[in-house]
Amino acid sequence: MASRFGEFLKNCRLKQEWTLRDFSRRAGVDPGNYSKMERGLLPPPKGREKLVEYAGHLGLEEGTDDWLTFFDLAAAEAGMIPEDIAGDANFLERLPLLFRTARGQKLEDKELLDLVDYLRGTSKESE
C-alpha cells in the first residue's frame, strides 16, 4: 500500500491504465502540476470538492478502502485529521493517548485498554 498521497494517486491512475496525459485530459488538469502532485512536489488539493472530483475520475467508489485511503492520505499530508474522525467527539478525546503512544510514551494500563477498546468499537461509549 502506498504511504504517500502522490504515490497512491499514481497507483490509482495506473490501475486505470492511463498515461499522465490521458488522465490530465479527462480530468481537465494541467499535466505538469498533476505530475508534481504525483511526485510529492505539490501537496494534495485542500478542498474536498476537488478531491472528490479526482477520486471520481480515478474510479474510486465512496466508502471503499481505496476511497478512505485516498482521503486519509490527503488529510495526513495536509497535517489534518480526516473529516469523519474530526467529527467524532469521543475519538477526539482519546487523540492525546494516541499521540503519546505514537511517541513511544508509556500509558497507564487503563488508558491503553480504553484506547484499544474504543478503536475496536468495544468500549461502553461506542455502544
Side-chain angles (χ1 to χ4, degrees):
M1 180 168 110
S3 61
R4 302 293 304 211
F5 179 79
E7 180 184 3
F8 188 78
L9 193 64
K10 182 176 182 176
N11 290 342
C12 289
R13 176 179 58 77
L14 293 175
K15 279 183 192 174
Q16 299 292 332
E17 298 182 357
W18 291 335
T19 67
L20 191 135
R21 292 202 180 278
D22 288 338
F23 177 81
S24 297
R25 186 174 49 258
R26 291 171 191 257
V29 298
D30 176 71
N33 286 336
Y34 189 79
S35 172
K36 287 177 185 174
M37 194 168 26
E38 281 191 350
R39 291 180 288 141
L41 301 175
L42 281 179
K46 290 185 181 168
R48 180 169 174 80
E49 187 175 306
K50 187 52 107 175
L51 287 169
V52 168
E53 184 180 320
Y54 282 173
H57 287 296
L58 292 166
L60 303 179
E61 294 182 32
E62 190 169 356
T64 63
D65 285 343
D66 282 346
W67 176 277
L68 294 172
T69 298
F70 179 82
F71 283 89
D72 289 348
L73 289 172
E77 288 202 21
M80 299 174 65
I81 298 171
E83 288 179 8
D84 57 329
I85 293 174
D88 182 342
N90 288 325
F91 184 76
L92 290 178
E93 287 177 16
R94 289 165 176 82
L95 275 179
L97 298 175
L98 184 62
F99 297 153
R100 290 198 325 249
T101 302
R103 289 185 188 107
Q105 294 177 338
K106 178 123 173 84
L107 297 180
E108 298 293 323
D109 287 343
K110 182 178 178 343
E111 291 176 316
L112 187 57
L113 290 173
D114 177 51
L115 179 61
V116 169
D117 284 346
Y118 186 78
L119 293 174
R120 288 182 179 160
T122 59
S123 74
K124 291 179 181 142
E125 290 181 35
S126 67
E127 297 173 349

